[in-house]
Amino acid sequence: MAEAPTVASTVRDMRRAGAASEPVPAAVVQVWAQTLLTQLYGTQKPVRYECKPRHSTEPWRPAEMGEVTHYRRRKLELRALYLHPPAGKHKDHRWPAGSNGQGKCLDCGETEWLAGPDCRPFAPIRDHRSDTPFSLTWLIEPLEKLQYLTKHMNPLDRAKWRTETTYLIDRIKDHAKGSQP
């Protein structure tokens, strides 16, 4: 009994056929394509679908459900993107109860009809501004300058800005006193 062809044996056969520079029958090419698709992608669902208008140079964009099911009618090009889950790190999706195929995964937010083989929640976005040191007391000097420059304003604005800056300076000083050990 012959073993099923592998990706390595298929690529080897393709290289030999290319080196021979002879025409390859369509049935053989079909077997090669089928082998590569089943061996590389298996029975997994596409991770996502992307579409763009047919015969256009627009970039690919994520496809919605109606665009996937009726892409010919809407004159779209459609492509399915596959991704093998890493070995040993497979995580199943968690669907809400009673979603009937229309729900979103509770962890990664993928829709049920479009979800790939495993759940990959997004990492929380890190705010890099917190990496830089910052002290509220650094604002006292600019606020004092602003308070000084109010002498060039009309009386109504001057009173407003002096009140605001005085209030902020006092709050910052109170906070600095309370946060020191």
Side-chain angles (χ1 to χ4, degrees):
M1 188 170 183
E3 291 185 26
T6 62
V7 171
S9 66
T10 303
V11 171
R12 191 177 319 114
D13 292 343
M14 292 167 76
R15 284 186 177 160
R16 286 182 185 148
S21 299
E22 294 180 6
V24 179
V28 174
V29 173
Q30 175 63 31
V31 170
W32 290 344
Q34 193 63 37
T35 301
L36 291 176
L37 283 174
T38 55
Q39 291 291 322
L40 292 175
Y41 300 115
T43 58
Q44 72 173 329
K45 285 183 168 183
V47 173
R48 72 175 186 269
Y49 293 95
E50 290 183 341
C51 68
K52 70 176 185 175
R54 201 178 307 157
H55 310 298
S56 81
T57 58
E58 290 182 28
W60 292 93
R61 62 176 176 78
E64 296 175 8
M65 186 184 325
E67 293 170 334
V68 172
T69 55
H70 303 291
Y71 71 97
R72 285 191 183 109
R73 187 179 305 156
R74 295 180 182 190
K75 296 181 178 153
L76 296 172
E77 286 184 54
L78 185 73
R79 70 178 179 184
L81 302 176
Y82 295 89
L83 181 69
H84 271 295
K89 294 186 178 182
H90 179 76
K91 181 180 176 190
D92 290 330
H93 292 280
R94 292 186 314 126
W95 308 111
S99 64
N100 297 331
Q102 299 296 321
K104 289 189 174 194
C105 177
L106 299 173
D107 297 324
C108 68
E110 281 287 331
T111 55
E112 196 165 346
W113 69 273
L114 189 61
D118 63 337
C119 180
R120 293 189 182 186
F122 293 111
I125 297 173
R126 192 164 160 250
D127 187 4
H128 293 284
R129 293 176 296 182
S130 62
D131 294 345
T132 59
F134 181 79
S135 173
L136 281 177
T137 57
W138 296 346
L139 297 175
I140 292 176
E141 185 179 349
L143 287 170
E144 288 172 343
K145 290 285 185 185
L146 179 63
Q147 198 172 34
Y148 173 75
L149 292 174
T150 57
K151 68 180 182 180
H152 301 293
M153 295 181 175
N154 66 42
L156 190 60
D157 286 341
R158 182 180 327 144
K160 176 189 174 231
W161 284 106
R162 283 196 176 181
T163 305
E164 292 290 327
T165 55
T166 303
Y167 174 79
L168 288 172
I169 290 170
D170 291 344
R171 294 288 75 85
I172 291 171
K173 286 181 179 176
D174 290 345
H175 178 74
K177 284 181 192 173
S179 62
Q180 289 181 357

Short mmCIF file of all heavy atoms in Angstrom, two decimals, residues 17-75:
data_model
loop_
_atom_site.label_atom_id
_atom_site.label_comp_id
_atom_site.label_asym_id
_atom_site.label_seq_id
_atom_site.Cartn_x
_atom_site.Cartn_y
_atom_site.Cartn_z
N ALA A 17 10.41 17.59 -12.13
CA ALA A 17 9.66 17.91 -13.35
C ALA A 17 10.18 19.21 -13.96
O ALA A 17 10.28 19.34 -15.18
CB ALA A 17 8.18 18.02 -13.04
N GLY A 18 10.52 20.18 -13.12
CA GLY A 18 11.07 21.43 -13.62
C GLY A 18 12.44 21.25 -14.25
O GLY A 18 12.76 21.87 -15.26
N ALA A 19 13.28 20.37 -13.66
CA ALA A 19 14.62 20.12 -14.20
C ALA A 19 14.54 19.37 -15.52
O ALA A 19 15.39 19.55 -16.39
CB ALA A 19 15.44 19.32 -13.19
N ALA A 20 13.50 18.54 -15.68
CA ALA A 20 13.35 17.77 -16.92
C ALA A 20 12.87 18.65 -18.06
O ALA A 20 13.01 18.29 -19.23
CB ALA A 20 12.37 16.62 -16.70
N SER A 21 12.29 19.80 -17.76
CA SER A 21 11.79 20.75 -18.76
C SER A 21 10.80 20.12 -19.73
O SER A 21 10.81 20.42 -20.92
CB SER A 21 12.95 21.38 -19.54
OG SER A 21 13.78 22.09 -18.68
N GLU A 22 9.98 19.24 -19.22
CA GLU A 22 8.95 18.61 -20.04
C GLU A 22 7.58 19.01 -19.50
O GLU A 22 7.45 19.32 -18.32
CB GLU A 22 9.10 17.09 -20.02
CG GLU A 22 10.39 16.61 -20.67
CD GLU A 22 10.52 15.11 -20.64
OE1 GLU A 22 9.57 14.42 -20.22
OE2 GLU A 22 11.59 14.62 -21.02
N PRO A 23 6.56 19.00 -20.34
CA PRO A 23 5.21 19.35 -19.86
C PRO A 23 4.73 18.35 -18.80
O PRO A 23 5.05 17.16 -18.87
CB PRO A 23 4.34 19.29 -21.10
CG PRO A 23 5.22 18.91 -22.23
CD PRO A 23 6.60 18.71 -21.75
N VAL A 24 4.00 18.87 -17.83
CA VAL A 24 3.46 18.04 -16.76
C VAL A 24 1.95 17.92 -16.98
O VAL A 24 1.27 18.93 -17.19
CB VAL A 24 3.75 18.68 -15.38
CG1 VAL A 24 3.17 17.85 -14.26
CG2 VAL A 24 5.24 18.86 -15.19
N PRO A 25 1.40 16.71 -16.94
CA PRO A 25 -0.05 16.55 -17.13
C PRO A 25 -0.84 17.29 -16.05
O PRO A 25 -0.40 17.41 -14.91
CB PRO A 25 -0.27 15.04 -17.02
CG PRO A 25 1.08 14.43 -17.20
CD PRO A 25 2.09 15.43 -16.78
N ALA A 26 -2.00 17.78 -16.43
CA ALA A 26 -2.85 18.53 -15.51
C ALA A 26 -3.27 17.70 -14.31
O ALA A 26 -3.40 18.23 -13.20
CB ALA A 26 -4.09 19.04 -16.24
N ALA A 27 -3.45 16.41 -14.50
CA ALA A 27 -3.85 15.55 -13.38
C ALA A 27 -2.75 15.49 -12.31
O ALA A 27 -3.03 15.48 -11.11
CB ALA A 27 -4.16 14.15 -13.88
N VAL A 28 -1.49 15.50 -12.75
CA VAL A 28 -0.37 15.47 -11.80
C VAL A 28 -0.30 16.79 -11.04
O VAL A 28 -0.08 16.82 -9.82
CB VAL A 28 0.96 15.18 -12.55
CG1 VAL A 28 2.14 15.29 -11.61
CG2 VAL A 28 0.91 13.81 -13.19
N VAL A 29 -0.50 17.90 -11.76
CA VAL A 29 -0.49 19.22 -11.10
C VAL A 29 -1.62 19.30 -10.08
O VAL A 29 -1.45 19.83 -8.98
CB VAL A 29 -0.59 20.35 -12.14
CG1 VAL A 29 -0.75 21.70 -11.47
CG2 VAL A 29 0.62 20.35 -13.05
N GLN A 30 -2.78 18.74 -10.42
CA GLN A 30 -3.92 18.72 -9.49
C GLN A 30 -3.58 17.93 -8.24
O GLN A 30 -3.90 18.34 -7.13
CB GLN A 30 -5.15 18.12 -10.18
CG GLN A 30 -6.35 17.95 -9.29
CD GLN A 30 -6.88 19.28 -8.76
OE1 GLN A 30 -6.76 20.30 -9.42
NE2 GLN A 30 -7.43 19.25 -7.57
N VAL A 31 -2.90 16.78 -8.39
CA VAL A 31 -2.50 15.97 -7.24
C VAL A 31 -1.52 16.75 -6.37
O VAL A 31 -1.60 16.74 -5.14
CB VAL A 31 -1.89 14.62 -7.70
CG1 VAL A 31 -1.24 13.88 -6.55
CG2 VAL A 31 -2.97 13.77 -8.36
N TRP A 32 -0.56 17.45 -7.02
CA TRP A 32 0.40 18.26 -6.26
C TRP A 32 -0.32 19.35 -5.47
O TRP A 32 -0.05 19.54 -4.29
CB TRP A 32 1.41 18.91 -7.19
CG TRP A 32 2.39 17.99 -7.83
CD1 TRP A 32 2.68 16.71 -7.48
CD2 TRP A 32 3.22 18.30 -8.94
NE1 TRP A 32 3.63 16.19 -8.31
CE2 TRP A 32 3.99 17.16 -9.22
CE3 TRP A 32 3.39 19.41 -9.75
CZ2 TRP A 32 4.92 17.11 -10.25
CZ3 TRP A 32 4.33 19.37 -10.77
CH2 TRP A 32 5.08 18.23 -11.02
N ALA A 33 -1.22 20.06 -6.13
CA ALA A 33 -1.94 21.14 -5.46
C ALA A 33 -2.77 20.60 -4.30
O ALA A 33 -2.78 21.18 -3.20
CB ALA A 33 -2.83 21.87 -6.45
N GLN A 34 -3.45 19.50 -4.52
CA GLN A 34 -4.27 18.90 -3.46
C GLN A 34 -3.41 18.46 -2.29
O GLN A 34 -3.77 18.66 -1.13
CB GLN A 34 -5.07 17.72 -4.03
CG GLN A 34 -6.17 17.24 -3.13
CD GLN A 34 -7.23 18.31 -2.91
OE1 GLN A 34 -7.56 19.07 -3.80
NE2 GLN A 34 -7.73 18.39 -1.70
N THR A 35 -2.26 17.86 -2.59
CA THR A 35 -1.36 17.42 -1.53
C THR A 35 -0.87 18.60 -0.70
O THR A 35 -0.88 18.55 0.53
CB THR A 35 -0.16 16.67 -2.12
OG1 THR A 35 -0.64 15.55 -2.86
CG2 THR A 35 0.79 16.21 -1.04
N LEU A 36 -0.41 19.66 -1.40
CA LEU A 36 0.10 20.83 -0.67
C LEU A 36 -0.99 21.47 0.18
O LEU A 36 -0.75 21.84 1.33
CB LEU A 36 0.70 21.84 -1.64
CG LEU A 36 1.99 21.40 -2.34
CD1 LEU A 36 2.44 22.44 -3.35
CD2 LEU A 36 3.09 21.16 -1.32
N LEU A 37 -2.20 21.59 -0.37
CA LEU A 37 -3.27 22.22 0.40
C LEU A 37 -3.65 21.39 1.62
O LEU A 37 -3.82 21.92 2.71
CB LEU A 37 -4.50 22.44 -0.49
CG LEU A 37 -4.42 23.62 -1.44
CD1 LEU A 37 -5.62 23.64 -2.37
CD2 LEU A 37 -4.33 24.92 -0.67
N THR A 38 -3.79 20.09 1.45
CA THR A 38 -4.20 19.26 2.59
C THR A 38 -3.09 19.11 3.62
O THR A 38 -3.35 19.12 4.81
CB THR A 38 -4.67 17.87 2.13
OG1 THR A 38 -3.63 17.26 1.37
CG2 THR A 38 -5.93 17.96 1.33
N GLN A 39 -1.84 18.99 3.14
CA GLN A 39 -0.74 18.82 4.08
C GLN A 39 -0.38 20.12 4.81
O GLN A 39 -0.06 20.09 6.00
CB GLN A 39 0.51 18.30 3.35
CG GLN A 39 0.38 16.89 2.84
CD GLN A 39 0.34 15.88 3.98
OE1 GLN A 39 1.02 16.02 4.97
NE2 GLN A 39 -0.50 14.86 3.82
N LEU A 40 -0.43 21.23 4.11
CA LEU A 40 -0.06 22.50 4.74
C LEU A 40 -1.19 23.11 5.55
O LEU A 40 -0.98 23.65 6.63
CB LEU A 40 0.41 23.51 3.69
CG LEU A 40 1.72 23.18 3.00
CD1 LEU A 40 2.02 24.20 1.91
CD2 LEU A 40 2.86 23.15 4.00
N TYR A 41 -2.41 23.06 5.03
CA TYR A 41 -3.51 23.72 5.70
C TYR A 41 -4.50 22.78 6.36
O TYR A 41 -5.25 23.19 7.23
CB TYR A 41 -4.26 24.63 4.71
CG TYR A 41 -3.37 25.68 4.13
CD1 TYR A 41 -3.06 25.70 2.78
CD2 TYR A 41 -2.81 26.66 4.93
CE1 TYR A 41 -2.22 26.65 2.25
CE2 TYR A 41 -1.99 27.62 4.42
CZ TYR A 41 -1.69 27.63 3.08
OH TYR A 41 -0.87 28.57 2.57
N GLY A 42 -4.52 21.54 5.95
CA GLY A 42 -5.42 20.57 6.56
C GLY A 42 -6.87 21.01 6.41
O GLY A 42 -7.27 21.60 5.42
N THR A 43 -7.65 20.74 7.43
CA THR A 43 -9.07 21.08 7.37
C THR A 43 -9.36 22.34 8.17
O THR A 43 -10.51 22.60 8.52
CB THR A 43 -9.89 19.92 7.94
OG1 THR A 43 -9.46 19.67 9.28
CG2 THR A 43 -9.74 18.68 7.09
N GLN A 44 -8.34 23.12 8.48
CA GLN A 44 -8.59 24.31 9.29
C GLN A 44 -9.35 25.38 8.52
O GLN A 44 -9.29 25.43 7.30
CB GLN A 44 -7.28 24.88 9.81
CG GLN A 44 -6.42 25.56 8.76
CD GLN A 44 -5.23 26.25 9.37
OE1 GLN A 44 -5.30 26.72 10.48
NE2 GLN A 44 -4.14 26.33 8.63
N LYS A 45 -10.06 26.21 9.25
CA LYS A 45 -10.77 27.34 8.65
C LYS A 45 -9.77 28.46 8.39
O LYS A 45 -8.74 28.55 9.06
CB LYS A 45 -11.82 27.86 9.62
CG LYS A 45 -13.04 27.03 9.75
CD LYS A 45 -13.99 27.74 10.69
CE LYS A 45 -15.36 27.14 10.67
NZ LYS A 45 -16.27 27.88 11.53
N PRO A 46 -10.08 29.33 7.45
CA PRO A 46 -9.21 30.49 7.27
C PRO A 46 -9.23 31.36 8.52
O PRO A 46 -10.24 31.46 9.21
CB PRO A 46 -9.85 31.24 6.10
CG PRO A 46 -10.73 30.26 5.44
CD PRO A 46 -11.14 29.27 6.47
N VAL A 47 -8.11 31.99 8.80
CA VAL A 47 -8.03 32.90 9.95
C VAL A 47 -8.90 34.11 9.69
O VAL A 47 -9.63 34.56 10.55
CB VAL A 47 -6.57 33.32 10.21
CG1 VAL A 47 -6.50 34.36 11.29
CG2 VAL A 47 -5.75 32.11 10.60
N ARG A 48 -8.82 34.64 8.47
CA ARG A 48 -9.69 35.75 8.10
C ARG A 48 -9.79 35.83 6.59
O ARG A 48 -8.98 35.25 5.88
CB ARG A 48 -9.20 37.07 8.69
CG ARG A 48 -7.95 37.63 8.05
CD ARG A 48 -7.63 39.01 8.64
NE ARG A 48 -6.53 39.59 7.95
CZ ARG A 48 -5.27 39.47 8.28
NH1 ARG A 48 -4.96 38.78 9.35
NH2 ARG A 48 -4.32 40.04 7.58
N TYR A 49 -10.78 36.54 6.13
CA TYR A 49 -10.97 36.78 4.71
C TYR A 49 -10.67 38.24 4.44
O TYR A 49 -10.99 39.11 5.25
CB TYR A 49 -12.41 36.48 4.30
CG TYR A 49 -12.79 35.02 4.38
CD1 TYR A 49 -13.41 34.51 5.50
CD2 TYR A 49 -12.53 34.17 3.32
CE1 TYR A 49 -13.77 33.18 5.58
CE2 TYR A 49 -12.89 32.83 3.39
CZ TYR A 49 -13.51 32.34 4.51
OH TYR A 49 -13.86 31.03 4.59
N GLU A 50 -10.09 38.49 3.27
CA GLU A 50 -9.85 39.86 2.83
C GLU A 50 -10.40 40.01 1.42
O GLU A 50 -10.44 39.05 0.65
CB GLU A 50 -8.36 40.19 2.83
CG GLU A 50 -7.77 40.29 4.21
CD GLU A 50 -6.31 40.69 4.21
OE1 GLU A 50 -5.63 40.55 3.17
OE2 GLU A 50 -5.84 41.15 5.25
N CYS A 51 -10.83 41.23 1.09
CA CYS A 51 -11.39 41.46 -0.23
C CYS A 51 -10.96 42.81 -0.75
O CYS A 51 -10.47 43.65 0.01
CB CYS A 51 -12.91 41.36 -0.20
SG CYS A 51 -13.69 42.70 0.71
N LYS A 52 -11.12 42.99 -2.06
CA LYS A 52 -10.91 44.28 -2.71
C LYS A 52 -11.70 44.25 -4.00
O LYS A 52 -12.04 43.19 -4.52
CB LYS A 52 -9.43 44.54 -2.97
CG LYS A 52 -8.80 43.67 -4.03
CD LYS A 52 -7.36 44.07 -4.26
CE LYS A 52 -6.75 43.28 -5.40
NZ LYS A 52 -5.42 43.71 -5.72
N PRO A 53 -12.03 45.42 -4.56
CA PRO A 53 -12.76 45.44 -5.83
C PRO A 53 -11.95 44.75 -6.93
O PRO A 53 -10.72 44.89 -6.98
CB PRO A 53 -12.94 46.92 -6.13
CG PRO A 53 -12.82 47.59 -4.80
CD PRO A 53 -11.88 46.75 -4.00
N ARG A 54 -12.65 44.01 -7.78
CA ARG A 54 -11.99 43.29 -8.86
C ARG A 54 -11.31 44.28 -9.81
O ARG A 54 -11.85 45.35 -10.10
CB ARG A 54 -13.03 42.47 -9.62
CG ARG A 54 -12.41 41.33 -10.40
CD ARG A 54 -13.44 40.48 -11.10
NE ARG A 54 -14.46 39.99 -10.17
CZ ARG A 54 -15.67 39.63 -10.54
NH1 ARG A 54 -16.03 39.70 -11.79
NH2 ARG A 54 -16.53 39.20 -9.65
N HIS A 55 -10.14 43.93 -10.29
CA HIS A 55 -9.35 44.73 -11.25
C HIS A 55 -9.00 46.11 -10.70
O HIS A 55 -9.01 47.09 -11.43
CB HIS A 55 -10.08 44.87 -12.59
CG HIS A 55 -10.57 43.57 -13.16
ND1 HIS A 55 -9.71 42.56 -13.50
CD2 HIS A 55 -11.83 43.12 -13.41
CE1 HIS A 55 -10.41 41.54 -13.96
NE2 HIS A 55 -11.70 41.85 -13.91
N SER A 56 -8.73 46.22 -9.43
CA SER A 56 -8.34 47.51 -8.87
C SER A 56 -7.00 47.37 -8.16
O SER A 56 -6.54 46.26 -7.87
CB SER A 56 -9.40 48.03 -7.90
OG SER A 56 -9.25 47.43 -6.64
N THR A 57 -6.40 48.49 -7.87
CA THR A 57 -5.13 48.50 -7.15
C THR A 57 -5.31 48.89 -5.69
O THR A 57 -4.33 49.15 -5.01
CB THR A 57 -4.15 49.48 -7.82
OG1 THR A 57 -4.75 50.77 -7.83
CG2 THR A 57 -3.80 49.04 -9.22
N GLU A 58 -6.55 48.92 -5.23
CA GLU A 58 -6.80 49.25 -3.83
C GLU A 58 -6.20 48.17 -2.94
O GLU A 58 -6.07 47.02 -3.33
CB GLU A 58 -8.31 49.33 -3.58
CG GLU A 58 -8.98 50.51 -4.21
CD GLU A 58 -10.46 50.56 -3.88
OE1 GLU A 58 -10.86 50.06 -2.81
OE2 GLU A 58 -11.21 51.10 -4.69
N PRO A 59 -5.84 48.55 -1.71
CA PRO A 59 -5.29 47.52 -0.81
C PRO A 59 -6.37 46.56 -0.33
O PRO A 59 -7.56 46.87 -0.37
CB PRO A 59 -4.75 48.36 0.36
CG PRO A 59 -5.51 49.63 0.33
CD PRO A 59 -5.85 49.87 -1.12
N TRP A 60 -5.93 45.39 0.10
CA TRP A 60 -6.85 44.40 0.64
C TRP A 60 -7.38 44.93 1.97
O TRP A 60 -6.66 45.54 2.74
CB TRP A 60 -6.14 43.07 0.87
CG TRP A 60 -5.74 42.40 -0.39
CD1 TRP A 60 -4.54 42.50 -1.02
CD2 TRP A 60 -6.53 41.52 -1.18
NE1 TRP A 60 -4.54 41.75 -2.16
CE2 TRP A 60 -5.75 41.12 -2.29
CE3 TRP A 60 -7.83 41.03 -1.07
CZ2 TRP A 60 -6.22 40.26 -3.26
CZ3 TRP A 60 -8.29 40.16 -2.04
CH2 TRP A 60 -7.49 39.78 -3.12
N ARG A 61 -8.67 44.67 2.26
CA ARG A 61 -9.28 45.07 3.52
C ARG A 61 -10.06 43.89 4.08
O ARG A 61 -10.44 42.99 3.34
CB ARG A 61 -10.19 46.28 3.32
CG ARG A 61 -11.35 46.03 2.39
CD ARG A 61 -12.27 47.25 2.31
NE ARG A 61 -13.32 47.04 1.35
CZ ARG A 61 -14.41 46.32 1.56
NH1 ARG A 61 -14.58 45.73 2.72
NH2 ARG A 61 -15.32 46.18 0.61
N PRO A 62 -10.28 43.87 5.40
CA PRO A 62 -11.04 42.75 5.98
C PRO A 62 -12.44 42.67 5.38
O PRO A 62 -13.09 43.69 5.18
CB PRO A 62 -11.10 43.10 7.47
CG PRO A 62 -9.97 44.04 7.69
CD PRO A 62 -9.78 44.79 6.41
N ALA A 63 -12.87 41.46 5.08
CA ALA A 63 -14.18 41.25 4.44
C ALA A 63 -15.25 41.01 5.50
O ALA A 63 -14.99 40.40 6.53
CB ALA A 63 -14.12 40.05 3.51
N GLU A 64 -16.44 41.49 5.20
CA GLU A 64 -17.58 41.24 6.08
C GLU A 64 -18.31 39.98 5.60
O GLU A 64 -18.01 39.46 4.52
CB GLU A 64 -18.52 42.44 6.05
CG GLU A 64 -17.87 43.70 6.61
CD GLU A 64 -18.76 44.92 6.47
OE1 GLU A 64 -19.93 44.77 6.06
OE2 GLU A 64 -18.26 46.02 6.75
N MET A 65 -19.26 39.52 6.39
CA MET A 65 -19.92 38.25 6.08
C MET A 65 -20.60 38.29 4.70
O MET A 65 -20.47 37.36 3.92
CB MET A 65 -20.98 37.92 7.15
CG MET A 65 -21.57 36.54 6.93
SD MET A 65 -22.91 36.03 8.06
CE MET A 65 -22.50 36.72 9.59
N GLY A 66 -21.31 39.36 4.39
CA GLY A 66 -22.00 39.45 3.10
C GLY A 66 -21.03 39.49 1.93
O GLY A 66 -21.34 38.99 0.84
N GLU A 67 -19.86 40.08 2.15
CA GLU A 67 -18.87 40.14 1.08
C GLU A 67 -18.25 38.77 0.83
O GLU A 67 -17.88 38.45 -0.30
CB GLU A 67 -17.79 41.16 1.43
CG GLU A 67 -18.32 42.57 1.47
CD GLU A 67 -17.34 43.55 2.04
OE1 GLU A 67 -16.47 43.17 2.85
OE2 GLU A 67 -17.44 44.74 1.70
N VAL A 68 -18.15 37.95 1.86
CA VAL A 68 -17.59 36.61 1.68
C VAL A 68 -18.59 35.71 0.96
O VAL A 68 -18.24 34.99 0.03
CB VAL A 68 -17.20 35.99 3.05
CG1 VAL A 68 -16.81 34.53 2.90
CG2 VAL A 68 -16.07 36.78 3.67
N THR A 69 -19.85 35.80 1.36
CA THR A 69 -20.84 34.89 0.78
C THR A 69 -21.28 35.30 -0.62
O THR A 69 -21.69 34.46 -1.40
CB THR A 69 -22.08 34.79 1.70
OG1 THR A 69 -22.58 36.11 1.94
CG2 THR A 69 -21.73 34.12 3.01
N HIS A 70 -21.18 36.58 -0.96
CA HIS A 70 -21.63 37.05 -2.28
C HIS A 70 -20.54 37.86 -2.98
O HIS A 70 -20.82 38.90 -3.57
CB HIS A 70 -22.89 37.91 -2.13
CG HIS A 70 -24.01 37.22 -1.45
ND1 HIS A 70 -24.69 36.17 -2.03
CD2 HIS A 70 -24.56 37.38 -0.23
CE1 HIS A 70 -25.62 35.74 -1.20
NE2 HIS A 70 -25.56 36.44 -0.10
N TYR A 71 -19.32 37.38 -2.94
CA TYR A 71 -18.23 38.18 -3.49
C TYR A 71 -18.31 38.32 -5.01
O TYR A 71 -17.94 39.36 -5.55
CB TYR A 71 -16.87 37.64 -3.06
CG TYR A 71 -16.46 36.34 -3.69
CD1 TYR A 71 -15.63 36.31 -4.79
CD2 TYR A 71 -16.88 35.12 -3.15
CE1 TYR A 71 -15.23 35.11 -5.36
CE2 TYR A 71 -16.50 33.93 -3.71
CZ TYR A 71 -15.67 33.93 -4.82
OH TYR A 71 -15.29 32.75 -5.39
N ARG A 72 -18.79 37.31 -5.71
CA ARG A 72 -18.91 37.43 -7.18
C ARG A 72 -19.97 38.45 -7.57
O ARG A 72 -19.78 39.25 -8.48
CB ARG A 72 -19.25 36.07 -7.79
CG ARG A 72 -18.09 35.14 -7.84
CD ARG A 72 -18.39 33.91 -8.70
NE ARG A 72 -17.29 33.00 -8.68
CZ ARG A 72 -17.30 31.82 -8.07
NH1 ARG A 72 -18.38 31.42 -7.44
NH2 ARG A 72 -16.25 31.05 -8.09
N ARG A 73 -21.10 38.41 -6.88
CA ARG A 73 -22.18 39.34 -7.18
C ARG A 73 -21.75 40.79 -6.92
O ARG A 73 -22.17 41.70 -7.60
CB ARG A 73 -23.39 39.00 -6.32
CG ARG A 73 -24.62 39.80 -6.66
CD ARG A 73 -25.81 39.43 -5.81
NE ARG A 73 -26.09 38.00 -5.87
CZ ARG A 73 -26.72 37.33 -4.94
NH1 ARG A 73 -27.14 37.93 -3.86
NH2 ARG A 73 -26.94 36.04 -5.06
N ARG A 74 -20.91 40.98 -5.93
CA ARG A 74 -20.44 42.33 -5.58
C ARG A 74 -19.17 42.72 -6.32
O ARG A 74 -18.56 43.74 -6.03
CB ARG A 74 -20.21 42.41 -4.08
CG ARG A 74 -21.50 42.24 -3.31
CD ARG A 74 -21.30 42.33 -1.85
NE ARG A 74 -22.57 42.12 -1.16
CZ ARG A 74 -22.75 42.31 0.12
NH1 ARG A 74 -21.76 42.73 0.86
NH2 ARG A 74 -23.92 42.10 0.66
N LYS A 75 -18.73 41.86 -7.24
CA LYS A 75 -17.55 42.10 -8.08
C LYS A 75 -16.31 42.37 -7.23
O LYS A 75 -15.61 43.37 -7.40
CB LYS A 75 -17.80 43.24 -9.05
CG LYS A 75 -18.90 42.91 -10.04
CD LYS A 75 -19.12 44.01 -11.01
CE LYS A 75 -20.21 43.54 -11.96
NZ LYS A 75 -20.97 44.58 -12.53
#
